[in-house]
Structure formats: C-alpha cells, structure tokens
Amino acid sequence: MHSAREGGISYCMRTSDKQNILVICAVALCVMLTLGLCLLLSGNGLIGAMFSSSEDGESVYLLCSGPYGDILLARSTAELIAGRGGAGYMLSDGENFELVYAVYPDKSEAESVLSSLADSGAYLKRVDIKKGKLNWADGELKRATQAALKYYRVAFDEMYACANKLNSDEMTVTDVKIKIDVLRAQIEDIKRAFWQIADDSENGKATSVKVAIVTALALIDNLTLDGTRANASSSLRYALVQLSLSRQALMEEI
C-alpha cells in the first residue's frame, strides 16, 4: 500500500484564516482518502455502499481484486501491484481489504483490461458520480461553480493520459513532469477564478467545492515523479483513484 505520500503537500494559498481552514480540510480529506475513504460494507462489496446510482452524472470503473482477510497479504499484494505500475490502493472495512489496480473512465476499456486478466480473480466496480444540480447557487456564483467543477475532468484526463503513455513507452518520466507542471497551472487558474467570485461566500457547498479543488492540487503536488517509469505510473494511478472518490463525495454533497 502506498504511504500517505511522505514529504508533505505543497499548496499555493493565501494567508487568511479562511484559506488556512481550507488547507487543513484538504489535508484531512487526503489522509482519509489515503486510508481508504471508507469503513463501509454492503451487499455489493466493501465499497459498494459508496457508489449510489445516478441518472444524470458519469461513471468511472475501478479494477479491483480481493477481498483479503489478512492485512499483511493485502499490503504485500498492494506493493506488488504498485511495483508493476498499478495503483495498489487499499480499501478496508476494518477486517477485509479490496485492492484497486486502476480506474478507467470508459466501461469498454475497463472490460478489455479485465479480460486480459483472465483467471486472476480481478473484477470491476462502477463508481457513479452525480452531476449536481447546484440549486444552492444562482447568478454569478452558479456560473463560477460550473466553471470551477471542470477541475476534475481537466485533472483526470491529463493524469490518465500520462499514466497510459508511460505504460506504452510513448512518454518518459521527464515528459510527464512537464505535462503535470502545465496541469497544475491549469488547476491553479481554475482555483483563482473561483476564489475571485466565491471567496466571501458563506455557503457551505461553495466551501466544499473549494476544498475539492485544493485537494486536487494536493494530489498533483504529492505525485512521485522522480523514480522509475513504474513508480511514476503507480503514483498517477493512485492519485486518479483518490481524485475520483473525492469527486464522487463532492457531487453527493452539492
């Protein structure tokens, strides 16, 4: 299992008390995500309780294995997955563990990868992400929120492409670093634009959007891109799982 990305998380934040609170919230959210985001159990599996159906949103697909009853076995298997470029992300209900290899935005692609792992015991989990009606916002704040929510697709698409191109030898780790630097600047631009409109908003849902954007920046800052190709790919895939689950939680709220 990946650690909580030792070395800390870097943020470009203002120094006001309000922003400091957001940073603390974002760090707490990242820690919760790293620990698995859940102590949930349902008839659909360990993480099934998280994934409520949605009629007007989008879905991503987790490629998983398990459940494992032995935490040492789960950890060693997660490390093997990570060592080969997979996420190695652990989800737990406190007793059993599911491991996530990767997250896919397209069902057919996820099924294609799954079919290549015949007899491995791997399976898919669908994560339904609600669209969000934003009934709590209107006028300028609503338009700003709609624009700010694009952070997820911008971040997901770039990190997903980088992970895939690393795996297919189309990009080097150095190439990925350049792409990620550009991505961070894009998310910062989205953050800055939203802060200009929502900085003084006392709406709790607007604050949740702020925390989600800061969390995305934290995930980008916490990528490990100074090692092997497999390590870089694993770090990207791990962050993609976190990003997707964070987005799922945000859209449930707003």
Side-chain angles (χ1 to χ4, degrees):
M1 179 180 178
H2 289 246
S3 70
R5 301 297 179 189
E6 296 175 358
I9 298 172
S10 173
Y11 299 94
C12 292
M13 299 292 291
R14 299 178 186 178
T15 59
S16 68
D17 290 340
K18 183 185 294 185
Q19 300 302 82
N20 288 336
I21 292 172
L22 287 177
V23 173
I24 292 170
C25 291
V27 172
L29 181 57
C30 282
V31 171
M32 287 188 290
L33 286 168
T34 303
L35 292 175
L37 267 179
C38 64
L39 292 175
L40 298 173
L41 179 63
S42 74
N44 295 322
L46 298 178
I47 55 177
M50 295 181 62
F51 306 148
S52 58
S53 61
S54 172
E55 295 179 355
D56 58 353
E58 60 184 308
S59 297
V60 295
Y61 300 85
L62 303 181
L63 180 63
C64 303
S65 67
Y68 298 84
D70 185 335
I71 187 172
L72 295 179
L73 176 60
R75 283 177 176 169
S76 63
T77 305
E79 289 172 0
L80 286 173
I81 292 170
R84 296 173 182 174
Y89 191 97
M90 291 179 65
L91 292 160
S92 172
D93 68 346
E95 295 182 0
N96 295 298
F97 304 87
E98 288 180 307
L99 305 181
V100 182
Y101 291 80
V103 57
Y104 298 91
D106 179 75
K107 183 178 181 181
S108 61
E109 183 176 0
E111 290 176 337
S112 176
V113 175
L114 179 63
S115 67
S116 70
L117 300 172
D119 301 322
S120 68
Y123 52 91
L124 295 180
K125 289 280 188 180
R126 190 181 77 186
V127 180
D128 291 318
I129 301 173
K130 290 185 175 180
K131 184 177 180 180
K133 301 187 184 302
L134 307 184
N135 293 332
W136 49 272
D138 55 21
E140 189 176 31
L141 179 58
K142 186 168 187 176
R143 290 189 295 273
T145 302
Q146 289 170 333
L149 289 173
K150 294 178 182 178
Y151 82 88
Y152 170 72
R153 181 50 56 197
V154 171
F156 187 101
D157 288 352
E158 189 60 72
M159 289 195 291
Y160 184 74
C162 285
N164 288 342
K165 289 180 179 179
L166 273 174
N167 187 58
S168 62
D169 291 334
E170 295 178 63
M171 291 178 67
T172 66
V173 175
T174 300
D175 294 332
V176 169
K177 287 181 179 180
I178 295 170
K179 290 285 189 181
I180 294 302
D181 285 344
V182 173
L183 171 62
R184 196 192 192 288
Q186 290 177 304
I187 303 302
E188 273 289 351
D189 286 344
I190 291 173
K191 170 182 170 287
R192 188 177 301 108
F194 187 59
W195 258 241
Q196 288 177 351
I197 303 302
D199 192 34
D200 295 328
S201 175
E202 300 297 329
N203 191 300
K205 296 185 186 299
T207 299
S208 294
V209 176
K210 291 179 181 180
V211 170
I213 296 172
V214 173
T215 298
L217 285 168
L219 295 177
I220 292 169
D221 288 339
N222 223 23
L223 290 171
T224 302
L225 302 176
D226 54 1
T228 66
R229 187 185 298 269
N231 287 342
S233 176
S234 176
S235 182
L236 286 161
R237 295 193 188 283
Y238 193 89
L240 282 164
V241 176
Q242 292 180 303
L243 182 69
S244 298
L245 297 181
S246 172
R247 177 67 165 204
Q248 194 265 350
L250 171 66
M251 301 312 288
E252 285 285 343
E253 182 177 352
I254 67 171

